[in-house]
Amino acid sequence: MNTKTLGYILKRVLLALLTILVVITITFFVMHAVPGGPFLGEKAISDAAKAALEAKYGLDKPLFQQYLTYLKDIITEFDFGPSIKQRGREVIDIIVDGMRTSAKLGLAAAAIALAFGTVLGSVAALRRNKFIDRVIMVITTAFVSMPSFIMGMFMLLLFTVKFTIFPANGAEAGGLVLPIIALSLSPMANITRLTRSSMLDVLGQDYIRTAKAKGVSGVKTIFGHALKNALIPVITYFGPMLAYIVTGSLVVEQIFAVPGIGRSFVSSIINRDYTLIMGTTIVLAILIVIMNLVSDILYKVIDPRITLE
Amino acid sequence: MKKKIFSMHLNVDSFLPASAEEKAYMVQMRPSSTFFRDGVKRFIKNKVALVSLIVIVIVVLSCIIIPMFLPYSYDQMLGVQLGKPVDPSYNNLAPFEFGTTEQAKIDAGEDVFPHIFGTDAQGRDYFARILYGTRISLAVGFFASIIVLLIGMTVGSISGYFGGKVDLVIMRIVDIIYSLPDMLLIILLASALKQTNLDEIIRGTILERIGANIISLFIVFGVLYWVSMSRLIRGQILSLREQEYVLASQAAGAKGKWIIFKHLMPNCISVVIISTALQIPSAIFTESYLSFLGLGVNAPMPSLGSLASDALNGINSYPLRLVIPAVVISLIVLSLNLLGDGLRDAFDPKLNG
């Protein structure tokens, strides 16, 4: 690794850290700009009780000092404070709890998207302009622009209402199948298109012709030479894919009643559980930023031909 | 004059003024084609894009024109009439069914306009709600894109025109906003704006008619989505400024105004229009997503996302109410995307990577 690459990585890491800081700052100040405060709501409470509550949560201090405390707690112990609406639970515990299910969901969706996407994309490229290529391209075009929640609703309708193949409740056994498929279709379509175009690009390269000319078998050329290089651009899609899956899972979990982080986020918005909204936004944002960083760096490091700015 | 074969004398005839016949020969036989006409020609050849255009035109026209003639409005509860108890026979009608009083009218020989998609749980004509919801979604998408365009164009051209330190600062800000996870922050902003009393701030102004929620949607779009547009425009201005035809024009004595309007604008505008067109479906998608989460337009105003989200509860009994808005969203988003791609292919061959 040369100094230029190191410099690039350093620059990207710094930008990522700055981005995370900005996210925390925006989240904090936006949520604190909301009029009314967290204790205004269902029950009228006396001024004394309100003051006591505010003192307990440190809300009586100046805003900037609250911000610094919040920032310090996140950085030093990853502590987002207690949930306001769910008594006695820490925000981070709720997030970790939800993450268990959501991580399963997201990872499975990403794996399916990756596996099917690369295979379909390669098939389409190798059979360029044949019938199968046309079919794959038409289907992926439809899937790319279809929002995941629409997809989820169609599947809910088809497989749980019309034909009761899968349970509609994501907490039951087999209940994760539909949400996984709903989340994976659009990234799969994207990966298919990405693989197809980069595969076509690679197949036109000189080294493929050289391999063919020296008598390497077709299978070996495709797997040993073409596919390896064709998959490099797919790495760039990892970041956007994670962002898509995270935002998609917010509604897909709602539709299929999956007890994950997305569902708790949505209900925290409805319940106005401020600390939980902030905590979830920040954790998910950090995840996305890190994934973007990793996929960007991997892409540049793996392919030595790519010039660094 | 006779010419000797090896003579170095030039033929005087070659220097005679051209006759009318010779001039006519030099005139181009076909009319010169403009950039726009070429693009239109390329666009028409693209069947997919043409079909998408037709679909969009049909959708737009029908959601503008049909409500004018429809006897039902989106918020009129048909079972509720002044001075009478609520008539529940109007709630949850299947397509082309009628309520009791309507049935009586039909039996008496009167014409009653059918409820094409039936009615919803509160006895509102679902066809009218779908049309109105489509109108809201399209309008939000369109105006959000315009806002993005205006902010992006202003910032982008300032950055590209001034260059230097201004450019550096703006571009660092753009970098950071660009790497923010936009959807999460949009949800955050939308949920925060929903709690503010925007209603009171805009009361009495022209904005009141649009509604606080849609305005907060616009704010959300305006704050986060302008960055890619401003990057694009800055890049365009920077690269166009260095083009050789600009230099050639300057060498021929062209002044700033001429260069801007004759060279920079026409070359920039197609890229800008295309990316604005591609922004619309993403704005529509975001709006329906937010409405689905309950952060979009206010009830009773429908949007496609909120209609779909409302229908989710009754999915077992009334699946049609979910299918219709879902199909309409997919249709609009898909055909706008295909149209945008088609426009890009037709009008900007350079972008086509």
Side-chain angles (χ1 to χ4, degrees):
Chain A
M1 219 183 287
N2 53 20
T3 43
K4 214 174 168 189
T5 318
L6 273 178
Y8 173 77
I9 293 175
L10 198 70
K11 211 174 117 193
R12 285 292 286 116
V13 171
L14 279 179
L15 183 66
L17 287 178
L18 192 61
T19 308
I20 291 172
L21 184 70
V22 170
V23 169
I24 297 176
T25 313
I26 291 178
T27 312
F28 183 86
F29 285 105
V30 164
M31 275 341 261
H32 279 77
V34 174
F39 303 114
L40 210 71
E42 310 81 60
K43 278 178 284 181
I45 48 174
S46 67
D47 283 348
K50 194 177 160 203
L53 272 173
E54 286 192 338
K56 186 184 166 201
Y57 291 115
L59 292 177
D60 52 345
K61 299 200 184 81
L63 193 61
F64 195 70
Q65 200 182 335
Q66 286 181 43
Y67 168 68
L68 288 181
T69 322
Y70 190 69
L71 201 60
K72 198 195 91 207
D73 283 351
I74 292 177
I75 293 170
T76 51
E77 32 195 329
F78 223 62
D79 177 17
F80 295 95
S83 162
I84 291 176
K85 297 285 147 115
Q86 302 187 32
R87 284 288 150 73
R89 292 194 73 187
E90 291 286 310
V91 166
I92 191 71
D93 294 337
I94 300 175
I95 293 174
V96 169
D97 246 18
M99 249 342 172
R100 284 208 189 96
T101 317
S102 295
K104 250 188 265 170
L105 186 68
L107 286 178
I112 288 177
L114 210 57
F116 281 86
T118 49
V119 170
L120 287 178
S122 311
V123 169
L126 292 173
R127 294 274 175 277
R128 186 186 187 184
N129 290 337
K130 298 269 169 55
F131 178 69
I132 183 121
D133 177 32
R134 293 273 161 75
V135 171
I136 291 175
M137 287 323 277
V138 167
I139 293 176
T140 51
T141 311
F143 280 170
V144 160
S145 49
M146 187 102 96
S148 58
F149 70 94
I150 300 281
M151 201 87 77
M153 287 192 282
F154 277 137
M155 288 169 85
L156 187 71
L157 206 59
L158 206 58
F159 295 113
T160 68
V161 179
K162 266 245 159 323
F163 314 102
T164 39
I165 301 173
F166 295 104
N169 191 332
E172 290 170 32
L176 282 183
V177 175
L178 288 181
I180 287 174
I181 298 175
L183 275 182
S184 65
L185 282 179
S186 177
M188 187 192 79
N190 265 316
I191 292 176
T192 304
R193 295 166 74 89
L194 209 60
T195 312
R196 180 179 180 270
S197 69
S198 84
M199 190 74 167
L200 283 178
D201 191 36
V202 167
L203 286 177
Q205 297 287 326
D206 286 343
Y207 56 81
I208 296 294
R209 203 184 331 148
T210 311
K212 275 185 189 158
K214 69 179 188 181
V216 180
S217 72
V219 178
K220 228 175 169 183
T221 328
I222 291 164
F223 284 97
H225 297 264
L227 197 58
K228 238 168 43 183
N229 287 301
L231 289 187
I232 293 173
V234 175
I235 295 171
T236 52
Y237 183 63
F238 281 6
M241 177 162 76
L242 184 81
Y244 176 87
I245 288 180
V246 166
T247 49
S249 71
L250 297 188
V251 281
V252 169
E253 285 182 10
Q254 191 78 3
I255 294 172
F256 290 100
V258 178
I261 192 171
R263 195 149 152 253
S264 82
F265 186 45
V266 173
S267 60
S268 73
I269 292 172
I270 296 165
N271 299 334
R272 288 194 266 163
D273 191 341
Y274 293 102
T275 47
L276 190 53
I277 298 179
M278 289 158 71
T280 318
T281 309
I282 292 169
V283 169
L284 291 180
I286 290 176
L287 262 182
I288 293 174
V289 169
I290 289 178
M291 196 64 202
N292 271 328
L293 175 73
V294 169
S295 73
D296 260 20
I297 290 178
L298 263 185
Y299 179 57
K300 303 265 156 120
V301 171
I302 288 179
D303 194 343
R305 288 170 303 179
I306 290 152
T307 47
L308 305 166
E309 321 144 49
Chain B
M1 192 172 92
K2 201 165 182 279
K3 190 172 177 287
K4 283 177 192 147
I5 272 182
F6 296 109
S7 158
M8 293 295 282
H9 285 283
L10 293 168
N11 189 353
V12 181
D13 293 346
S14 306
F15 295 90
L16 291 174
S19 68
E21 207 175 299
E22 280 167 329
K23 276 182 191 163
Y25 180 71
M26 293 302 290
V27 170
Q28 275 188 345
M29 295 309 284
R30 60 181 172 80
S32 70
S33 180
T34 60
F35 171 73
F36 180 72
R37 219 176 290 158
D38 276 352
V40 171
K41 217 184 269 172
R42 275 194 295 267
F43 183 79
I44 290 173
K45 270 193 198 145
N46 187 345
K47 291 280 181 302
V48 177
L50 203 61
V51 170
S52 328
L53 180 67
I54 294 171
V55 169
I56 290 165
V57 168
I58 291 174
V59 169
V60 169
L61 286 184
S62 59
C63 75
I64 292 174
I65 295 173
I66 296 179
M68 291 181 193
F69 301 105
L70 206 64
Y72 312 111
S73 79
Y74 71 93
D75 57 352
Q76 175 194 3
M77 298 177 194
L78 296 169
V80 181
Q81 259 146 8
L82 226 63
K84 286 182 196 163
V86 177
D87 183 357
S89 70
Y90 279 97
N91 299 352
N92 294 324
L93 288 179
F96 293 102
E97 276 185 356
F98 295 99
T100 43
T101 46
E102 281 178 346
Q103 198 62 50
K105 271 188 196 169
I106 294 172
D107 293 340
E110 276 182 63
D111 272 343
V112 175
F113 196 81
H115 304 291
I116 296 174
F117 293 154
T119 57
D120 69 0
Q122 289 166 314
R124 294 175 292 202
D125 186 76
Y126 206 58
F127 185 56
R129 284 184 75 71
I130 288 284
L131 284 176
Y132 205 81
T134 313
R135 192 196 272 192
I136 298 279
S137 291
L138 283 173
V140 168
F142 183 74
F143 286 109
S145 307
I146 298 288
I147 291 173
V148 166
L149 175 69
L150 288 181
I151 300 178
M153 199 144 85
T154 317
V155 178
S157 33
I158 288 174
S159 190
Y161 185 78
F162 288 107
K165 273 198 185 119
V166 181
D167 182 37
L168 198 75
V169 171
I170 291 179
M171 279 304 120
R172 283 297 86 81
I173 295 172
V174 165
D175 273 349
I176 290 172
I177 296 183
Y178 195 78
S179 51
L180 293 175
D182 45 3
M183 214 52 173
L184 287 173
L185 289 184
I186 283 181
I187 294 172
L188 185 84
L189 273 180
S191 62
L193 281 171
K194 198 151 173 98
Q195 310 296 334
T196 56
N197 30 11
L198 206 59
D199 277 321
E200 277 156 36
I201 299 170
I202 59 169
R203 180 150 303 150
T205 61
I206 192 168
L207 295 175
E208 194 186 353
R209 284 196 57 196
I210 310 173
N213 269 359
I214 294 191
I215 290 179
S216 54
L217 268 178
F218 287 157
I219 295 176
V220 162
F221 277 108
V223 170
L224 286 177
Y225 272 112
W226 56 271
V227 282
S228 41
M229 184 66 80
S230 73
R231 261 192 183 177
L232 183 81
I233 289 167
R234 170 183 173 269
Q236 283 289 318
I237 288 183
L238 284 184
S239 78
L240 286 177
R241 245 184 12 192
E242 307 299 321
Q243 292 290 320
E244 272 150 9
Y245 55 76
V246 175
L247 189 66
S249 184
Q250 276 169 339
K255 292 285 177 301
K257 205 171 151 191
W258 175 270
I259 292 173
I260 290 172
F261 286 103
K262 207 72 190 168
H263 296 295
L264 296 186
M265 290 280 261
N267 281 294
C268 201
I269 207 85
S270 63
V271 179
V272 170
I273 290 175
I274 291 160
S275 47
T276 310
L278 282 170
Q279 192 82 51
I280 297 176
S282 102
I284 290 179
F285 164 70
T286 313
E287 184 275 330
S288 59
Y289 183 91
L290 287 177
S291 292
F292 187 85
L293 292 180
L295 296 170
V297 295
N298 259 343
M301 202 190 268
S303 88
L304 292 173
S306 67
L307 286 172
S309 144
D310 290 344
L312 202 58
N313 296 322
I315 187 170
N316 287 307
S317 331
Y318 312 104
L320 199 64
R321 267 187 231 153
L322 180 62
V323 173
I324 297 169
V327 166
V328 176
I329 296 177
S330 322
L331 197 67
I332 293 175
V333 171
L334 182 63
S335 38
L336 277 173
N337 271 323
L338 291 174
L339 176 69
D341 285 347
L343 282 179
R344 187 184 53 200
D345 291 347
F347 287 96
D348 194 34
K350 274 177 292 178
L351 255 187
N352 198 2

